[in-house]
Amino acid sequence: MSWKAWFGVIALGAALAGCGSGSSTAESSGSKPLVAFAQANSADPWRQVFDAETKAEADKHASDFTFEEQAAEDDPAKQNNVIDTFLLKQPKVLLVSPVTEAVQAQVEKAYDAGVPVILLDRAIPGDKYTAYVGGDNVEIGREAAKYIVDQLHGKGTVLMIQGLGGATATTDRKNGAMEVFKATPGIHVIEGDDCKYQRNAAKTYMENFLQSGKPFDAVYAHNDEMAIGAYLAWAASPKASGKRPLIVGIDGCQREMVDMIKAGKIDATFKYPIPGPKGIELAADILKGNKPTDKKVILPTERVTKDTADQYLAANPNLAK
Amino acid sequence: MRATKQWSWLTIAQRYQGLVGLLLLLAVALVLAPHNSAPGNLFGSVFFSSANLRNVLGQLAVPGALAIGATFVILTGGIDLSAGSALGLLNCIAASWLLHGASASATAAYVLTIGTAIGALLGLLVNVTKLQPFVVTLAGMVSLRGAAFVYTNNANISGLGHNFDFLEAPTLGIPAAGWILLLLVLACSILLRATVFGRRVYAVGGNPLAAEYSGVPVNRVRLGAYALNGLCIAIAAILFTARNSNGEPSAGLGYELDAITAAVVGGASLMGGYGSAGGTFIGALFIVCLNVLLILQGVSYYVGQGWKGVIILVAVYLQNLGRRN
């Protein structure tokens, strides 16, 4: 009975494991080299698009290498386990989107063992990696602020709804924008609450802020979810009959956001670039024997407004939701 | 005759269910796991290689030590939901001490003391308030996590230097952290099997009232079990700090459930009175081997999680089946 039960569980698991890996198990021992990707998490919308675009790019190279990905639930200890286990399979290139710098030791172990390591999105201290691909949040903050200053003709009050305190993305998106705002004498900035990048938190904060009755002309949210939350609060308030404030977000990874821009509910978002496809491209180059020429590849942002929304949707078929 | 034989199979499987599961898993791994020609591979399998032995024991050290700690508490009929939060706080304390230049031994001694004190405090609270351990340690889970964020001022601690590196260095093919876990399992096994305290832990979990009437100092035994759990968490925190070489207030999120899972898969009963250090070790080893095999096979983490749930259920069902008689 119990033997059978155990055997059933294991056999099912094994069957599933077989299905899951499909051809890769057979081939990893064969001629095709392995490109392994240790992802930080696969849960938030930006990471979902990240996964989809990375997979799509890897599929283009399916005849050159096998691609495998494992997510780590944003737990650096889990990511260390993933990297250690990947190394047993002797990958030819290791892609890592670090959870935190706590994975530095494992990344360096891989690099020291001669495996080229490409870091995506987040960097680690030191220089023991082959290449880094990511966006520049300070520059994105500057671009967003320049757009807001332009739209307000250099005069007005900006409410900044902030992302998770202490996160580098938050600090960078804030500092980049403040640089531009401070250089414009007509602009006054209200530093809003830490809404943790969450729509709901931003909505509640905005409801309270509207209650206070303080005048403002624009909302600069550190991500799209919070921009949507701010819009929803404004649309449900008595003030919705008046002139809508300018609303700007960052990320550009959700169809919902682009649709709202198209519908004229939100004004703009700035794409936080997805580093996966470029990482796969570099991996393919390394397999051909070409070392990356630049150690750091900084991908540019892209502004999405009502005019460019359709074009953006067409160019980015893998957007979340 | 036939029936008797079936029951004896069940008894064996139930008693050694963790081991039976592990052996089956290893058999599956032998067939399925990818092969390559790296040196040190047994049968050419990536899974049965010296590199994977290092890998598995390196991964096992932290969850293993946590699970051994959880076993003491579970044996008394309690549960500890605060283990993950305590690990996070102790990780931050260790990291902060190392960052400020403390030696490895001073840091370890301090963390072990604080960990044991936290465990003892929880045990004391359970004794004094007479509340369910679930509630007391739930409160501990919330407070200790908060304390970790306050302690680090909501930031990560990095740049610890190399004082703890020796814990990750391999000795005789296994990381020092792995040896520490094996010694811990051995020590706790002896403690539970061959000492008065050990017998009393089982007695308290089996039937606290009967234990009380037969002269067992129930409260003191419970306090001891929770303190030992705290000590094990502190050991886990030190090994965790060595492996990640930083301190994060969010570290160890959800680890208490992994620890409980390992104990249950290893044959411990959440009602108390059943279980062993060796069984829990096998349970933890089973889970780590399963994780490694799933990654080697390229199965998604989330699919793996689904299977872990099924395995827990089967393990508990088997226990129930055996113990109903």
PDB file of all heavy atoms in Angstrom, chain A residues 2-3 6, chain B residues 7-21 193 202 264-268 274-276 278-280 282 315 318-319 322-323:
ATOM      1  N   SER A   2       1.669   1.343   1.076  1.00  0.00           N
ATOM      2  CA  SER A   2       2.469   2.561   1.190  1.00  0.00           C
ATOM      3  C   SER A   2       3.576   2.573   0.143  1.00  0.00           C
ATOM      4  O   SER A   2       3.902   3.617  -0.426  1.00  0.00           O
ATOM      5  CB  SER A   2       3.077   2.623   2.568  1.00  0.00           C
ATOM      6  OG  SER A   2       3.677   1.371   2.852  1.00  0.00           O
ATOM      7  N   TRP A   3       4.126   1.386  -0.098  1.00  0.00           N
ATOM      8  CA  TRP A   3       5.139   1.308  -1.157  1.00  0.00           C
ATOM      9  C   TRP A   3       4.545   1.811  -2.464  1.00  0.00           C
ATOM     10  O   TRP A   3       5.162   2.596  -3.174  1.00  0.00           O
ATOM     11  CB  TRP A   3       5.587  -0.147  -1.355  1.00  0.00           C
ATOM     12  CG  TRP A   3       6.555  -0.572  -0.324  1.00  0.00           C
ATOM     13  CD1 TRP A   3       6.268  -1.201   0.844  1.00  0.00           C
ATOM     14  CD2 TRP A   3       7.964  -0.394  -0.352  1.00  0.00           C
ATOM     15  NE1 TRP A   3       7.407  -1.416   1.547  1.00  0.00           N
ATOM     16  CE2 TRP A   3       8.488  -0.954   0.829  1.00  0.00           C
ATOM     17  CE3 TRP A   3       8.846   0.158  -1.282  1.00  0.00           C
ATOM     18  CZ2 TRP A   3       9.826  -0.954   1.125  1.00  0.00           C
ATOM     19  CZ3 TRP A   3      10.197   0.158  -1.002  1.00  0.00           C
ATOM     20  CH2 TRP A   3      10.680  -0.393   0.195  1.00  0.00           C
ATOM     21  N   TRP A   6       4.032   5.569  -2.386  1.00  0.00           N
ATOM     22  CA  TRP A   6       5.295   6.273  -2.625  1.00  0.00           C
ATOM     23  C   TRP A   6       5.724   6.160  -4.079  1.00  0.00           C
ATOM     24  O   TRP A   6       6.106   7.130  -4.718  1.00  0.00           O
ATOM     25  CB  TRP A   6       6.397   5.696  -1.734  1.00  0.00           C
ATOM     26  CG  TRP A   6       6.531   6.434  -0.463  1.00  0.00           C
ATOM     27  CD1 TRP A   6       6.312   5.955   0.794  1.00  0.00           C
ATOM     28  CD2 TRP A   6       6.902   7.805  -0.311  1.00  0.00           C
ATOM     29  NE1 TRP A   6       6.520   6.948   1.711  1.00  0.00           N
ATOM     30  CE2 TRP A   6       6.884   8.083   1.068  1.00  0.00           C
ATOM     31  CE3 TRP A   6       7.242   8.824  -1.195  1.00  0.00           C
ATOM     32  CZ2 TRP A   6       7.198   9.330   1.572  1.00  0.00           C
ATOM     33  CZ3 TRP A   6       7.557  10.063  -0.693  1.00  0.00           C
ATOM     34  CH2 TRP A   6       7.524  10.312   0.682  1.00  0.00           C
TER      35      TRP A   6
ATOM     36  N   TRP B   7       0.721  -5.959   6.550  1.00  0.00           N
ATOM     37  CA  TRP B   7       0.854  -4.970   7.619  1.00  0.00           C
ATOM     38  C   TRP B   7       2.299  -4.748   8.000  1.00  0.00           C
ATOM     39  O   TRP B   7       2.705  -3.648   8.351  1.00  0.00           O
ATOM     40  CB  TRP B   7       0.017  -5.357   8.823  1.00  0.00           C
ATOM     41  CG  TRP B   7      -1.411  -4.951   8.631  1.00  0.00           C
ATOM     42  CD1 TRP B   7      -2.485  -5.765   8.511  1.00  0.00           C
ATOM     43  CD2 TRP B   7      -1.888  -3.616   8.464  1.00  0.00           C
ATOM     44  NE1 TRP B   7      -3.603  -5.030   8.287  1.00  0.00           N
ATOM     45  CE2 TRP B   7      -3.284  -3.714   8.256  1.00  0.00           C
ATOM     46  CE3 TRP B   7      -1.281  -2.381   8.466  1.00  0.00           C
ATOM     47  CZ2 TRP B   7      -4.072  -2.591   8.047  1.00  0.00           C
ATOM     48  CZ3 TRP B   7      -2.066  -1.263   8.270  1.00  0.00           C
ATOM     49  CH2 TRP B   7      -3.444  -1.369   8.062  1.00  0.00           C
ATOM     50  N   SER B   8       3.104  -5.813   7.925  1.00  0.00           N
ATOM     51  CA  SER B   8       4.499  -5.628   8.287  1.00  0.00           C
ATOM     52  C   SER B   8       5.203  -4.741   7.255  1.00  0.00           C
ATOM     53  O   SER B   8       6.031  -3.914   7.602  1.00  0.00           O
ATOM     54  CB  SER B   8       5.202  -6.969   8.426  1.00  0.00           C
ATOM     55  OG  SER B   8       5.276  -7.584   7.160  1.00  0.00           O
ATOM     56  N   TRP B   9       4.816  -4.901   5.999  1.00  0.00           N
ATOM     57  CA  TRP B   9       5.351  -3.993   4.971  1.00  0.00           C
ATOM     58  C   TRP B   9       4.990  -2.561   5.311  1.00  0.00           C
ATOM     59  O   TRP B   9       5.825  -1.667   5.285  1.00  0.00           O
ATOM     60  CB  TRP B   9       4.757  -4.321   3.599  1.00  0.00           C
ATOM     61  CG  TRP B   9       5.492  -5.386   2.872  1.00  0.00           C
ATOM     62  CD1 TRP B   9       5.020  -6.620   2.532  1.00  0.00           C
ATOM     63  CD2 TRP B   9       6.832  -5.328   2.400  1.00  0.00           C
ATOM     64  NE1 TRP B   9       5.979  -7.340   1.876  1.00  0.00           N
ATOM     65  CE2 TRP B   9       7.110  -6.570   1.784  1.00  0.00           C
ATOM     66  CE3 TRP B   9       7.829  -4.367   2.452  1.00  0.00           C
ATOM     67  CZ2 TRP B   9       8.348  -6.856   1.227  1.00  0.00           C
ATOM     68  CZ3 TRP B   9       9.059  -4.652   1.890  1.00  0.00           C
ATOM     69  CH2 TRP B   9       9.307  -5.883   1.284  1.00  0.00           C
ATOM     70  N   LEU B  10       3.715  -2.391   5.679  1.00  0.00           N
ATOM     71  CA  LEU B  10       3.245  -1.049   5.992  1.00  0.00           C
ATOM     72  C   LEU B  10       4.017  -0.482   7.178  1.00  0.00           C
ATOM     73  O   LEU B  10       4.444   0.672   7.166  1.00  0.00           O
ATOM     74  CB  LEU B  10       1.741  -1.073   6.301  1.00  0.00           C
ATOM     75  CG  LEU B  10       1.169   0.271   6.721  1.00  0.00           C
ATOM     76  CD1 LEU B  10       1.226   1.259   5.582  1.00  0.00           C
ATOM     77  CD2 LEU B  10      -0.257   0.115   7.209  1.00  0.00           C
ATOM     78  N   THR B  11       4.207  -1.339   8.202  1.00  0.00           N
ATOM     79  CA  THR B  11       4.905  -0.876   9.394  1.00  0.00           C
ATOM     80  C   THR B  11       6.311  -0.393   9.043  1.00  0.00           C
ATOM     81  O   THR B  11       6.752   0.661   9.492  1.00  0.00           O
ATOM     82  CB  THR B  11       4.991  -2.024  10.423  1.00  0.00           C
ATOM     83  OG1 THR B  11       3.713  -2.655  10.470  1.00  0.00           O
ATOM     84  CG2 THR B  11       5.342  -1.494  11.786  1.00  0.00           C
ATOM     85  N   ILE B  12       6.981  -1.192   8.235  1.00  0.00           N
ATOM     86  CA  ILE B  12       8.345  -0.812   7.849  1.00  0.00           C
ATOM     87  C   ILE B  12       8.332   0.494   7.058  1.00  0.00           C
ATOM     88  O   ILE B  12       9.056   1.434   7.366  1.00  0.00           O
ATOM     89  CB  ILE B  12       8.996  -1.937   7.010  1.00  0.00           C
ATOM     90  CG1 ILE B  12       9.225  -3.163   7.889  1.00  0.00           C
ATOM     91  CG2 ILE B  12      10.315  -1.450   6.428  1.00  0.00           C
ATOM     92  CD1 ILE B  12       9.611  -4.391   7.121  1.00  0.00           C
ATOM     93  N   ALA B  13       7.440   0.535   6.068  1.00  0.00           N
ATOM     94  CA  ALA B  13       7.385   1.713   5.217  1.00  0.00           C
ATOM     95  C   ALA B  13       7.003   2.948   6.014  1.00  0.00           C
ATOM     96  O   ALA B  13       7.516   4.034   5.789  1.00  0.00           O
ATOM     97  CB  ALA B  13       6.391   1.491   4.079  1.00  0.00           C
ATOM     98  N   GLN B  14       6.096   2.739   6.986  1.00  0.00           N
ATOM     99  CA  GLN B  14       5.641   3.875   7.779  1.00  0.00           C
ATOM    100  C   GLN B  14       6.738   4.359   8.726  1.00  0.00           C
ATOM    101  O   GLN B  14       6.991   5.536   8.871  1.00  0.00           O
ATOM    102  CB  GLN B  14       4.398   3.435   8.558  1.00  0.00           C
ATOM    103  CG  GLN B  14       3.709   4.542   9.296  1.00  0.00           C
ATOM    104  CD  GLN B  14       3.874   4.400  10.775  1.00  0.00           C
ATOM    105  OE1 GLN B  14       3.702   3.311  11.324  1.00  0.00           O
ATOM    106  NE2 GLN B  14       4.224   5.482  11.415  1.00  0.00           N
ATOM    107  N   ARG B  15       7.410   3.383   9.312  1.00  0.00           N
ATOM    108  CA  ARG B  15       8.452   3.742  10.257  1.00  0.00           C
ATOM    109  C   ARG B  15       9.617   4.429   9.543  1.00  0.00           C
ATOM    110  O   ARG B  15      10.207   5.374  10.043  1.00  0.00           O
ATOM    111  CB  ARG B  15       8.931   2.469  10.956  1.00  0.00           C
ATOM    112  CG  ARG B  15      10.044   2.778  11.893  1.00  0.00           C
ATOM    113  CD  ARG B  15      10.080   1.871  13.078  1.00  0.00           C
ATOM    114  NE  ARG B  15      11.127   2.370  13.956  1.00  0.00           N
ATOM    115  CZ  ARG B  15      11.635   1.693  14.955  1.00  0.00           C
ATOM    116  NH1 ARG B  15      11.177   0.495  15.204  1.00  0.00           N
ATOM    117  NH2 ARG B  15      12.575   2.204  15.701  1.00  0.00           N
ATOM    118  N   TYR B  16       9.981   3.918   8.393  1.00  0.00           N
ATOM    119  CA  TYR B  16      11.126   4.472   7.669  1.00  0.00           C
ATOM    120  C   TYR B  16      10.671   5.194   6.414  1.00  0.00           C
ATOM    121  O   TYR B  16      11.319   5.130   5.375  1.00  0.00           O
ATOM    122  CB  TYR B  16      12.112   3.366   7.310  1.00  0.00           C
ATOM    123  CG  TYR B  16      12.630   2.642   8.521  1.00  0.00           C
ATOM    124  CD1 TYR B  16      12.166   1.377   8.856  1.00  0.00           C
ATOM    125  CD2 TYR B  16      13.578   3.251   9.342  1.00  0.00           C
ATOM    126  CE1 TYR B  16      12.631   0.725   9.985  1.00  0.00           C
ATOM    127  CE2 TYR B  16      14.058   2.598  10.475  1.00  0.00           C
ATOM    128  CZ  TYR B  16      13.577   1.338  10.789  1.00  0.00           C
ATOM    129  OH  TYR B  16      14.040   0.700  11.904  1.00  0.00           O
ATOM    130  N   GLN B  17       9.511   5.861   6.489  1.00  0.00           N
ATOM    131  CA  GLN B  17       8.941   6.396   5.256  1.00  0.00           C
ATOM    132  C   GLN B  17       9.879   7.394   4.561  1.00  0.00           C
ATOM    133  O   GLN B  17       9.995   7.394   3.342  1.00  0.00           O
ATOM    134  CB  GLN B  17       7.603   7.062   5.538  1.00  0.00           C
ATOM    135  CG  GLN B  17       7.688   8.180   6.546  1.00  0.00           C
ATOM    136  CD  GLN B  17       6.379   8.929   6.635  1.00  0.00           C
ATOM    137  OE1 GLN B  17       5.424   8.579   5.974  1.00  0.00           O
ATOM    138  NE2 GLN B  17       6.350   9.960   7.425  1.00  0.00           N
ATOM    139  N   GLY B  18      10.567   8.220   5.352  1.00  0.00           N
ATOM    140  CA  GLY B  18      11.479   9.194   4.757  1.00  0.00           C
ATOM    141  C   GLY B  18      12.554   8.486   3.952  1.00  0.00           C
ATOM    142  O   GLY B  18      12.850   8.834   2.811  1.00  0.00           O
ATOM    143  N   LEU B  19      13.096   7.420   4.572  1.00  0.00           N
ATOM    144  CA  LEU B  19      14.178   6.669   3.931  1.00  0.00           C
ATOM    145  C   LEU B  19      13.684   5.970   2.673  1.00  0.00           C
ATOM    146  O   LEU B  19      14.340   5.986   1.631  1.00  0.00           O
ATOM    147  CB  LEU B  19      14.725   5.654   4.930  1.00  0.00           C
ATOM    148  CG  LEU B  19      16.082   5.053   4.604  1.00  0.00           C
ATOM    149  CD1 LEU B  19      17.126   6.141   4.482  1.00  0.00           C
ATOM    150  CD2 LEU B  19      16.484   4.047   5.662  1.00  0.00           C
ATOM    151  N   VAL B  20      12.484   5.369   2.773  1.00  0.00           N
ATOM    152  CA  VAL B  20      11.904   4.681   1.620  1.00  0.00           C
ATOM    153  C   VAL B  20      11.722   5.678   0.470  1.00  0.00           C
ATOM    154  O   VAL B  20      12.106   5.416  -0.673  1.00  0.00           O
ATOM    155  CB  VAL B  20      10.541   4.052   1.992  1.00  0.00           C
ATOM    156  CG1 VAL B  20       9.837   3.537   0.750  1.00  0.00           C
ATOM    157  CG2 VAL B  20      10.741   2.924   2.989  1.00  0.00           C
ATOM    158  N   GLY B  21      11.168   6.848   0.816  1.00  0.00           N
ATOM    159  CA  GLY B  21      10.971   7.882  -0.200  1.00  0.00           C
ATOM    160  C   GLY B  21      12.291   8.313  -0.809  1.00  0.00           C
ATOM    161  O   GLY B  21      12.421   8.437  -2.029  1.00  0.00           O
ATOM    162  N   ARG B 193      17.650  10.025  22.241  1.00  0.00           N
ATOM    163  CA  ARG B 193      17.513   8.595  22.488  1.00  0.00           C
ATOM    164  C   ARG B 193      18.085   8.160  23.819  1.00  0.00           C
ATOM    165  O   ARG B 193      17.545   7.266  24.466  1.00  0.00           O
ATOM    166  CB  ARG B 193      18.273   7.810  21.400  1.00  0.00           C
ATOM    167  CG  ARG B 193      17.484   7.620  20.153  1.00  0.00           C
ATOM    168  CD  ARG B 193      18.434   7.250  19.015  1.00  0.00           C
ATOM    169  NE  ARG B 193      17.670   7.130  17.790  1.00  0.00           N
ATOM    170  CZ  ARG B 193      17.132   5.989  17.380  1.00  0.00           C
ATOM    171  NH1 ARG B 193      17.274   4.897  18.084  1.00  0.00           N
ATOM    172  NH2 ARG B 193      16.451   5.962  16.261  1.00  0.00           N
ATOM    173  N   TYR B 202       9.792  13.174  24.649  1.00  0.00           N
ATOM    174  CA  TYR B 202       8.775  12.294  24.049  1.00  0.00           C
ATOM    175  C   TYR B 202       7.562  12.167  24.953  1.00  0.00           C
ATOM    176  O   TYR B 202       6.427  12.179  24.510  1.00  0.00           O
ATOM    177  CB  TYR B 202       9.365  10.900  23.777  1.00  0.00           C
ATOM    178  CG  TYR B 202      10.243  10.842  22.553  1.00  0.00           C
ATOM    179  CD1 TYR B 202      11.616  10.943  22.653  1.00  0.00           C
ATOM    180  CD2 TYR B 202       9.682  10.684  21.280  1.00  0.00           C
ATOM    181  CE1 TYR B 202      12.428  10.888  21.526  1.00  0.00           C
ATOM    182  CE2 TYR B 202      10.480  10.626  20.155  1.00  0.00           C
ATOM    183  CZ  TYR B 202      11.855  10.726  20.288  1.00  0.00           C
ATOM    184  OH  TYR B 202      12.639  10.678  19.175  1.00  0.00           O
ATOM    185  N   VAL B 264       8.005  16.389   9.169  1.00  0.00           N
ATOM    186  CA  VAL B 264       6.820  15.558   8.907  1.00  0.00           C
ATOM    187  C   VAL B 264       7.149  14.452   7.899  1.00  0.00           C
ATOM    188  O   VAL B 264       6.809  13.281   8.103  1.00  0.00           O
ATOM    189  CB  VAL B 264       5.655  16.436   8.405  1.00  0.00           C
ATOM    190  CG1 VAL B 264       4.541  15.574   7.839  1.00  0.00           C
ATOM    191  CG2 VAL B 264       5.127  17.293   9.544  1.00  0.00           C
ATOM    192  N   VAL B 265       7.837  14.817   6.825  1.00  0.00           N
ATOM    193  CA  VAL B 265       8.236  13.810   5.838  1.00  0.00           C
ATOM    194  C   VAL B 265       9.143  12.772   6.508  1.00  0.00           C
ATOM    195  O   VAL B 265       9.114  11.597   6.181  1.00  0.00           O
ATOM    196  CB  VAL B 265       8.932  14.469   4.631  1.00  0.00           C
ATOM    197  CG1 VAL B 265       9.562  13.440   3.725  1.00  0.00           C
ATOM    198  CG2 VAL B 265       7.923  15.295   3.853  1.00  0.00           C
ATOM    199  N   GLY B 266       9.930  13.220   7.488  1.00  0.00           N
ATOM    200  CA  GLY B 266      10.830  12.307   8.193  1.00  0.00           C
ATOM    201  C   GLY B 266      10.145  11.500   9.275  1.00  0.00           C
ATOM    202  O   GLY B 266      10.812  10.820  10.045  1.00  0.00           O
ATOM    203  N   GLY B 267       8.822  11.589   9.390  1.00  0.00           N
ATOM    204  CA  GLY B 267       8.097  10.701  10.283  1.00  0.00           C
ATOM    205  C   GLY B 267       7.638  11.324  11.581  1.00  0.00           C
ATOM    206  O   GLY B 267       7.080  10.645  12.438  1.00  0.00           O
ATOM    207  N   ALA B 268       7.867  12.642  11.785  1.00  0.00           N
ATOM    208  CA  ALA B 268       7.401  13.267  13.024  1.00  0.00           C
ATOM    209  C   ALA B 268       5.901  13.520  12.932  1.00  0.00           C
ATOM    210  O   ALA B 268       5.380  13.785  11.856  1.00  0.00           O
ATOM    211  CB  ALA B 268       8.142  14.573  13.277  1.00  0.00           C
ATOM    212  N   TYR B 274       6.025  11.531  18.431  1.00  0.00           N
ATOM    213  CA  TYR B 274       6.617  10.685  17.385  1.00  0.00           C
ATOM    214  C   TYR B 274       7.635  11.494  16.582  1.00  0.00           C
ATOM    215  O   TYR B 274       7.347  12.648  16.234  1.00  0.00           O
ATOM    216  CB  TYR B 274       5.566  10.188  16.405  1.00  0.00           C
ATOM    217  CG  TYR B 274       4.696   9.069  16.919  1.00  0.00           C
ATOM    218  CD1 TYR B 274       3.421   9.321  17.375  1.00  0.00           C
ATOM    219  CD2 TYR B 274       5.171   7.754  16.910  1.00  0.00           C
ATOM    220  CE1 TYR B 274       2.612   8.299  17.835  1.00  0.00           C
ATOM    221  CE2 TYR B 274       4.370   6.728  17.370  1.00  0.00           C
ATOM    222  CZ  TYR B 274       3.091   7.004  17.834  1.00  0.00           C
ATOM    223  OH  TYR B 274       2.293   5.997  18.279  1.00  0.00           O
ATOM    224  N   GLY B 275       8.737  10.845  16.224  1.00  0.00           N
ATOM    225  CA  GLY B 275       9.723  11.505  15.375  1.00  0.00           C
ATOM    226  C   GLY B 275      11.125  11.286  15.906  1.00  0.00           C
ATOM    227  O   GLY B 275      11.312  10.782  17.017  1.00  0.00           O
ATOM    228  N   SER B 276      12.119  11.637  15.094  1.00  0.00           N
ATOM    229  CA  SER B 276      13.507  11.482  15.531  1.00  0.00           C
ATOM    230  C   SER B 276      14.393  12.432  14.736  1.00  0.00           C
ATOM    231  O   SER B 276      14.005  12.901  13.657  1.00  0.00           O
ATOM    232  CB  SER B 276      13.977  10.049  15.307  1.00  0.00           C
ATOM    233  OG  SER B 276      14.039   9.778  13.919  1.00  0.00           O
ATOM    234  N   GLY B 278      17.227  11.665  13.324  1.00  0.00           N
ATOM    235  CA  GLY B 278      17.669  10.988  12.107  1.00  0.00           C
ATOM    236  C   GLY B 278      16.592  11.027  11.029  1.00  0.00           C
ATOM    237  O   GLY B 278      16.867  11.284   9.856  1.00  0.00           O
ATOM    238  N   GLY B 279      15.337  10.787  11.438  1.00  0.00           N
ATOM    239  CA  GLY B 279      14.222  10.810  10.494  1.00  0.00           C
ATOM    240  C   GLY B 279      14.099  12.182   9.850  1.00  0.00           C
ATOM    241  O   GLY B 279      13.945  12.305   8.631  1.00  0.00           O
ATOM    242  N   THR B 280      14.189  13.229  10.674  1.00  0.00           N
ATOM    243  CA  THR B 280      14.085  14.583  10.154  1.00  0.00           C
ATOM    244  C   THR B 280      15.217  14.882   9.169  1.00  0.00           C
ATOM    245  O   THR B 280      15.000  15.505   8.125  1.00  0.00           O
ATOM    246  CB  THR B 280      14.125  15.599  11.314  1.00  0.00           C
ATOM    247  OG1 THR B 280      12.978  15.382  12.131  1.00  0.00           O
ATOM    248  CG2 THR B 280      14.120  17.013  10.804  1.00  0.00           C
ATOM    249  N   ILE B 282      16.726  12.736   7.267  1.00  0.00           N
ATOM    250  CA  ILE B 282      16.377  12.064   6.015  1.00  0.00           C
ATOM    251  C   ILE B 282      15.294  12.854   5.279  1.00  0.00           C
ATOM    252  O   ILE B 282      15.346  13.039   4.060  1.00  0.00           O
ATOM    253  CB  ILE B 282      15.871  10.624   6.292  1.00  0.00           C
ATOM    254  CG1 ILE B 282      16.969   9.776   6.943  1.00  0.00           C
ATOM    255  CG2 ILE B 282      15.382   9.961   5.014  1.00  0.00           C
ATOM    256  CD1 ILE B 282      18.126   9.434   6.055  1.00  0.00           C
ATOM    257  N   ALA B 315       2.856  11.595   3.036  1.00  0.00           N
ATOM    258  CA  ALA B 315       3.632  11.240   4.217  1.00  0.00           C
ATOM    259  C   ALA B 315       2.750  11.236   5.457  1.00  0.00           C
ATOM    260  O   ALA B 315       2.778  10.295   6.261  1.00  0.00           O
ATOM    261  CB  ALA B 315       4.791  12.220   4.390  1.00  0.00           C
ATOM    262  N   LEU B 318       0.285   8.307   5.494  1.00  0.00           N
ATOM    263  CA  LEU B 318       0.922   7.036   5.853  1.00  0.00           C
ATOM    264  C   LEU B 318       1.071   6.912   7.363  1.00  0.00           C
ATOM    265  O   LEU B 318       0.792   5.872   7.944  1.00  0.00           O
ATOM    266  CB  LEU B 318       2.298   6.942   5.195  1.00  0.00           C
ATOM    267  CG  LEU B 318       2.291   6.665   3.693  1.00  0.00           C
ATOM    268  CD1 LEU B 318       3.704   6.596   3.172  1.00  0.00           C
ATOM    269  CD2 LEU B 318       1.570   5.361   3.419  1.00  0.00           C
ATOM    270  N   GLN B 319       1.500   7.999   7.994  1.00  0.00           N
ATOM    271  CA  GLN B 319       1.654   7.991   9.447  1.00  0.00           C
ATOM    272  C   GLN B 319       0.353   7.633  10.112  1.00  0.00           C
ATOM    273  O   GLN B 319       0.285   6.806  11.005  1.00  0.00           O
ATOM    274  CB  GLN B 319       2.008   9.382   9.941  1.00  0.00           C
ATOM    275  CG  GLN B 319       3.396   9.783   9.722  1.00  0.00           C
ATOM    276  CD  GLN B 319       3.551  11.235  10.121  1.00  0.00           C
ATOM    277  OE1 GLN B 319       2.691  11.821  10.764  1.00  0.00           O
ATOM    278  NE2 GLN B 319       4.647  11.814   9.713  1.00  0.00           N
ATOM    279  N   GLY B 322      -0.655   4.013   9.904  1.00  0.00           N
ATOM    280  CA  GLY B 322       0.072   3.120  10.788  1.00  0.00           C
ATOM    281  C   GLY B 322      -0.337   3.302  12.236  1.00  0.00           C
ATOM    282  O   GLY B 322      -0.449   2.351  12.992  1.00  0.00           O
ATOM    283  N   ARG B 323      -0.549   4.577  12.631  1.00  0.00           N
ATOM    284  CA  ARG B 323      -0.731   4.850  14.061  1.00  0.00           C
ATOM    285  C   ARG B 323      -2.160   4.647  14.532  1.00  0.00           C
ATOM    286  O   ARG B 323      -2.417   4.620  15.720  1.00  0.00           O
ATOM    287  CB  ARG B 323      -0.270   6.271  14.359  1.00  0.00           C
ATOM    288  CG  ARG B 323       1.237   6.332  14.392  1.00  0.00           C
ATOM    289  CD  ARG B 323       1.795   7.691  14.586  1.00  0.00           C
ATOM    290  NE  ARG B 323       3.222   7.641  14.236  1.00  0.00           N
ATOM    291  CZ  ARG B 323       3.862   8.622  13.682  1.00  0.00           C
ATOM    292  NH1 ARG B 323       3.244   9.741  13.392  1.00  0.00           N
ATOM    293  NH2 ARG B 323       5.139   8.499  13.384  1.00  0.00           N
TER     294      ARG B 323
END
